[in-house]
Amino acid sequence: MGVTADRPRYVRVVVDVGPAHLDRPFDYALTPDIDPAADVGVGSRVKVSFNGRPRTAWVAEVTDTPSTDPDRIKPVEAVDGDVRWFDDDDLAVWRWVADRYAGTLSGAIRHALPPRIVRVEREAATWGPPAPPTPADRPPCPSDRWRPFTASPLLKAASDPDGRAYHLRAPLHPTEGEGPLLVDLVTRCVAAGHQALVVVPSPAPGPADDVLAAVGPLAADLRGDVADAERYRVFLRARRGEIGVLVGERGLVLTPVRDLGLVVVVDEANPAFKEQRNPRHHVREAALGRARISGATAVLTSSVLSAQARRHLAGGHLIGVRADRATERAHAPEVRVIDRRTLPVNARRTRLVGPIADALADVVAVGGTAIVLAAAKGSGTSLACGRCRSRFECPTCGGGIGPTAHSTATPDAWRCAACGWTGAPRPCPDCGSTDSFPLRAGASRLAGELARTHPDADVAHMEGFDQPGPTRRPAIAVMTRGSVVARPDWLRSDPDGMADLLVIADPDVLVGRPVVDATEDALRLWLDAARLARRVLVQTAHPDHPGLQALVRADPDGFWDGEHERRAVLGFPPAGSLLRLTSLADDAAAAVRAAVPGTLLGPDPDGVALLKTADLHGTLTALAPLRQAWARDDRRIRVDVDPVRLA
């Protein structure tokens, strides 16, 4: 689309200028000074002058009728190349993300696009006509893997996108998990001429590696530290339709491609999927919104649904794809829960109780392998009874209670980080004791104790997915959350790649954290770890806890049946939605209470408040004028929709 002297044209552009009240398109003129051969249209990158400063802008519309007085419109200063970075569908997705997460369109664009590298554009000019991917013979459909599922609609949607979303949960088995199933879905998509995005929470090995191995040169791996030039090169090739599959982390979900047919989000509940910059979107919701707007198929995976995914499933917006219960139970390991309360009082404080210590000794004696899953340092801040180890609970929301800041083990006041309740210490409701202690963990110390107890075993302390494990047998690996997310290489030589025993050492620490999602987060970790062992032992003072019972039954969906009812009373997800506001002064809080539907808890002395609402759209709509006023007054009040942590 060229520009001629006798027919001026205008472009409506998005300028990255920050404040919310300026997050709107601005008109600029395409003058005859612009190269007539320049192909300017939606998705073009241009240079403009804004408030006397040069800015990069993105063309959102080309029009003959500007929305402002043409005499006041400034000209476009330059066009940055011939690349069309996005189209109208991409803009629609980014606008939806900005609205859904109380952010800006310019911020969403910033998340989605890679840096421009001019030398790569010059290189691309020599590539010749785009060559669409021509997949080799697609691997045979693993029909035996799909047989336990009711998956016909999903298999059809992989090659014939329908705009619907699915949640896929594979049985608890390390070699028969979701990897082969995702390979089949992605290869179906590529074979049908579409492109697929596979979004993972980290560079850790997992199902994405299966996809990359199966698709080969048709895929690009953007995980980890990829150079800007290579990232831009892959972006241009994908826009040309030459790459069939992109694998990457959080930012990939908004990346424009030519013909999106499938977007997969692996481990959709992982907190790493929450963006920390404006707009603070979650990959899960962005993927679902993008699939709905563009007509692609979305597939989420996780061992336990997030609260938001549970709401989508209950509302019919997400279709569950599950193996039948017989298959799920057959692949689940044996789980035995040991009640610490039935043990002698002097044994309740030991890190690993007698039956578990004996089981570990038996594994070591036969040269076997064991995993001890410990809570990472800093995971436990809630208080428990010093006599019976029962967790103290918030009287308002049922969350864990922690000591107030800078307090001792016997603090003068308690506080719930979930809802902000504060109050005086109280006796234990189970035994009446007034002693309390913080539920904390020390994986490194535990590994040292086990090494002294079992000198014949190779004891390794593993805090991250890329750390080496034991190198000989017998072996004990003290693992934390970060080391469970990946397939442990040290187990590959064992039958079926599974350990003989998994010990869950600190379940009460994890479910006792003062956060709303503590239980499902802990259950998700336990189920992911349970894929690695044939037998599971759990030590706890709360054997009837819903999360532990869901682990015993291998029934994460059943866990939500009861948890949903409990949270509905509190107005927490999945029954409602939460917004976290920071730097909220008292006058701003009063304005929120007066104009915004929902219940505002706080702000606390640090200016942090929690807004509960059953009408997220109405709340965001009512909040928009306040956000604009705050931006005009240069008040840096931050709004985080669907926060992953409330404290």
Side-chain angles (χ1 to χ4, degrees), residues 442-573:
S444 178
R445 182 175 179 178
L446 176 58
E449 294 174 355
L450 290 174
R452 291 190 293 271
T453 304
H454 303 283
D456 295 334
D458 185 3
V459 180
H461 172 217
M462 303 175 63
E463 292 273 1
F465 75 87
D466 56 351
Q467 295 188 359
T471 57
R472 57 181 175 83
R473 303 295 183 264
I476 300 176
V478 180
M479 303 172 67
T480 59
R481 176 188 303 272
S483 56
V484 173
V485 299
R487 298 167 180 163
D489 289 334
W490 67 276
L491 277 177
R492 291 186 184 275
S493 61
D494 292 75
D496 298 328
M498 303 177 75
D500 298 304
L501 175 66
L502 167 67
V503 174
I504 299 179
D506 304 308
D508 298 343
V509 170
L510 295 180
V511 300
R513 290 172 300 155
V515 293
V516 174
D517 65 344
T519 299
E520 73 261 27
D521 180 67
L523 177 58
R524 192 174 299 113
L525 174 63
W526 301 336
L527 289 171
D528 290 342
R531 297 178 185 272
L532 308 178
R534 302 181 189 88
R535 185 162 62 108
V536 180
L537 293 180
V538 185
Q539 56 179 26
T540 178
H542 306 282
D544 297 327
H545 191 280
L548 288 174
Q549 287 302 307
L551 173 66
V552 171
R553 299 190 305 269
D555 186 18
D557 287 340
F559 157 77
W560 272 117
D561 293 340
E563 186 70 5
H564 188 285
E565 294 181 5
R566 186 179 78 87
R567 294 197 192 175
V569 176
L570 304 172
F572 285 161

Side-chain angles (χ1 to χ4, degrees), residues 45 79-85 115-127 229 232-233 235-236:
R45 172 173 159 151
V79 179
D80 284 346
D82 294 329
V83 176
R84 293 288 187 90
W85 293 66
R116 182 191 182 213
I117 308 295
V118 175
R119 64 179 174 83
V120 175
E121 288 185 6
R122 296 194 184 106
E123 173 191 323
T126 67
W127 289 347
Y232 190 44
R233 187 176 293 111
F235 170 78
L236 293 179

Side-chain angles (χ1 to χ4, degrees), residues 330-406:
H331 285 87
E334 172 195 352
V335 180
R336 178 187 172 196
V337 178
I338 298 170
D339 187 353
R340 302 184 70 124
R341 298 173 302 179
T342 63
L343 302 175
V345 174
N346 60 354
R348 294 178 184 175
R349 287 182 176 270
T350 59
R351 188 64 185 274
L352 298 180
V353 298
I356 288 181
D358 294 341
L360 273 175
D362 292 342
V363 170
V364 171
V366 298
T369 54
I371 297 172
V372 179
L373 180 63
K377 182 179 180 180
S379 294
T381 57
S382 290
L383 296 174
C385 174
R387 177 188 297 171
C388 70
R389 296 183 66 91
S390 293
R391 180 176 70 106
F392 290 104
E393 295 185 351
C394 172
T396 300
C397 71
I401 295 176
T404 53
H406 311 299

